[in-house]
Amino acid sequence: MLPWEGPLAGRLDRHTVDSALLRDNPLGDPHERPLWVYVPPGYDSGTDRYPTVYMIQGYTGHLAMWANRMPFRQPFIETADAVFAQGAPGCIVVYVDAWTSYGGSQFVDSPGTGRYHSYLCDEIVPWVDDHYRTIPDRESRAIAGKSSGGFGAMITPMLRPDLFGALATHAGDALYELCYLADFGKAARALRGYDHDVQQWWTDFQSRTAFTEPADMDLLGILGVAACFSAREDGTPELPFDPVTGAPIPQVWQRWLDWDPVRMVAGHADAIRSLRAVWIDAGTRDEYFLDLGAEAFRKEIAAVGLPDERVHFELFDAGHGAIDYRYPLSLAWLATRLAR
């Protein structure tokens, strides 16, 4: 294993997409976004069309991080390439950017961040189909991600079953009373130093080196997800808890719960039953209890009638971080199950 970039068996193209939907977004974030598209070995020498797998990232993730190289590990760009070099049926892999100034968009449309769900579904998918030899059909299109990306992978086929017929979620955000609720108390304690005002913290955070205060990550996640799930119409993020006591504010907290994939399944039962392949996994020591969220999501999709033979469910010994070695496993599995 070389500790530097090596040649790929396939090819990675780096594009910039000018998004009409992200133009004039509430945070003033760029509307020109990077998009990476990988084509497998044999693409350039043939005329075949290929299934597509869309890869989306966790909170604070941005596109260049797919190429990050950790000691004694290859980045996913290379491990994904190895999946196809070693014989898995070829797929086009699309790496989508949905970063915001708060660190992420949760891949939803929100007055607090912008129209990132529509950007993914109504701009990126058609762009890729227009520029590459895809099989432009839901049966041949999957979406996959980890953490917030796993959340996006769970909800997008529910909301757009016309586009996506398969998914893979690695430790995806789910069962919110376990993965989010515990952070409310931590955040309320941290806000004591900011007159219980998250905007004061945000102003301070922007003025200094990021993550130099112990509560920065907790507060960034709370503020950013509030911007996605519970922003007011004017775009102001509304916290789902009392900033003094940490107690949930029922009507705002309910807006978060409405985005819980576990709770969404029953209302999207037809879309769930139509899925041809679902990969679910998580570490048994996940710090956000997303192994339990995975169990709950698996239970709900079974309850609405998705056959067991279309599902791969697995818990493994790990926490929430450094589980990128799981991604090529789900990619290889999806590649054998997408329509060709």
Side-chain angles (χ1 to χ4, degrees):
M1 181 189 303
L2 298 176
W4 52 79
E5 185 175 352
L8 300 176
R11 187 184 80 240
L12 183 70
D13 298 333
R14 293 173 169 88
H15 302 282
T16 299
V17 174
D18 188 342
S19 168
L21 291 173
L22 297 185
R23 191 180 296 270
D24 300 320
N25 63 79
L27 297 176
D29 289 328
H31 61 86
E32 292 185 340
R33 292 299 177 106
L35 178 73
W36 293 357
V37 182
Y38 167 87
V39 297
Y43 180 91
D44 291 327
S45 60
T47 58
D48 289 347
R49 290 186 170 271
Y50 291 84
T52 48
V53 179
Y54 285 73
M55 297 298 307
I56 55 179
Q57 288 175 299
Y59 210 78
T60 71
H62 56 79
L63 202 64
M65 293 171 70
W66 286 117
N68 282 358
R69 189 176 301 276
M70 295 185 294
F72 300 99
R73 285 196 187 182
Q74 292 175 285
F76 181 57
I77 297 293
E78 295 175 16
T79 59
D81 177 66
V83 165
F84 303 112
Q86 293 167 7
C91 293
I92 294 169
V93 183
V94 183
Y95 299 89
V96 181
D97 175 75
W99 174 89
T100 74
S101 294
Y102 289 134
S105 66
Q106 296 296 95
F107 312 95
V108 302
D109 289 349
S110 168
T113 53
R115 300 183 62 190
Y116 286 88
H117 180 76
S118 296
Y119 165 69
L120 166 64
C121 295
D122 297 330
E123 288 187 325
I124 294 302
V125 169
W127 191 95
V128 172
D129 287 344
D130 285 347
H131 288 80
Y132 289 87
R133 295 197 316 273
T134 67
I135 303 172
D137 186 87
R138 72 177 300 273
E139 300 296 307
S140 303
R141 192 181 291 120
I143 186 167
K146 182 248 181 173
S147 195
S148 287
F151 161 79
M154 285 185 276
I155 67 163
T156 300
M158 287 195 263
L159 299 175
R160 293 299 301 268
D162 57 314
L163 293 181
F164 292 95
L167 70 91
T169 174
H170 301 280
D173 299 0
L175 204 63
Y176 286 1
E177 59 267 44
L178 294 184
C179 77
Y180 282 131
L181 200 57
D183 288 338
F184 293 179
K186 296 177 187 177
R189 283 177 172 172
L191 289 175
R192 287 171 177 160
Y194 298 94
D195 296 327
H196 310 290
D197 182 355
V198 73
Q199 291 299 333
Q200 276 195 33
W201 168 81
W202 177 237
T203 299
D204 176 56
F205 180 80
Q206 292 176 292
S207 73
R208 56 177 168 80
T209 302
F211 308 117
T212 52
E213 294 293 334
D216 279 351
M217 184 57 83
D218 289 335
L219 289 173
L220 180 65
I222 288 289
L223 177 61
V225 176
C228 300
F229 290 169
S230 56
R232 301 185 184 117
E233 285 304 312
D234 67 0
T236 303
E238 189 170 3
L239 297 181
F241 59 88
D242 184 311
V244 176
T245 68
I249 300 171
Q251 65 271 27
V252 185
W253 175 227
Q254 185 59 52
R255 294 181 67 185
W256 287 46
L257 293 176
D258 290 344
W259 280 111
D260 183 350
V262 174
R263 291 169 167 84
M264 289 176 65
V265 167
H268 298 85
D270 288 343
I272 291 293
R273 284 192 291 269
S274 75
L275 292 171
R276 63 185 296 125
V278 175
W279 174 291
I280 307 165
D281 72 11
T284 54
R285 296 180 280 108
D286 190 284
E287 293 85 344
Y288 303 98
F289 300 101
L290 294 172
D291 51 328
L292 301 180
E295 296 265 24
F297 185 68
R298 173 70 186 96
K299 181 178 179 181
E300 288 300 311
I301 63 176
V304 299
L306 184 66
D308 289 345
E309 58 267 23
R310 299 186 206 168
V311 179
H312 176 97
F313 178 82
E314 185 178 353
L315 299 181
F316 53 94
D317 183 23
H320 189 66
I323 61 170
D324 51 290
Y325 62 93
R326 303 290 304 178
Y327 308 164
L329 303 179
S330 66
L331 179 61
W333 188 83
L334 288 170
T336 65
R337 284 158 177 81
L338 292 170
R340 296 179 179 271

